[in-house]
Amino acid sequence: HKNSGRSYHVKFAPPKSMELDKEGNPVPESMKDDETGEPLMQRADDTSTALVKRLEGYHRETVPILDHYSSKGVVKKINAN
């Protein structure tokens, strides 16, 4: 949230005002900044649809490059878990 500088996440850092519907999904109208009470917004690139697009692009564009350079011993894999 720009005015308060706070970041929220529906699972890991939800706003205090967040209410859930019958299915357990956040009610968008209840999402308010904890400090200012202003409505929160979700970035267009922070949705499940956007994630699917990013992953498709990764597999379409990045994986072939990794495959090409892996055979040359240039790529190193790191377990980031």
Side-chain angles (χ1 to χ4, degrees):
H1 184 263
K2 283 188 176 187
N3 290 338
S4 70
R6 296 180 54 92
S7 293
Y8 296 94
H9 186 280
V10 295
K11 184 175 181 181
F12 301 110
K16 295 174 185 173
S17 63
M18 185 176 79
E19 298 173 2
L20 302 176
D21 64 17
K22 293 177 187 175
E23 289 81 37
N25 300 310
V27 176
E29 296 78 24
S30 71
M31 305 292 277
K32 310 271 186 200
D33 180 65
D34 290 344
E35 291 183 19
T36 67
E38 296 172 335
L40 298 175
M41 52 79 71
Q42 185 174 21
R43 292 187 343 231
D45 67 341
D46 190 22
T47 65
S48 58
T49 303
L51 175 60
V52 169
K53 282 185 175 182
R54 286 196 304 272
L55 289 173
E56 288 172 348
Y58 170 80
H59 289 285
R60 182 179 62 253
E61 299 171 12
T62 305
V63 169
I65 294 169
L66 293 173
D67 291 343
H68 174 78
Y69 285 105
S70 290
S71 65
K72 297 176 181 1
V74 177
V75 175
K76 302 292 182 204
K77 292 187 178 186
I78 298 172
N79 183 349
N81 288 330

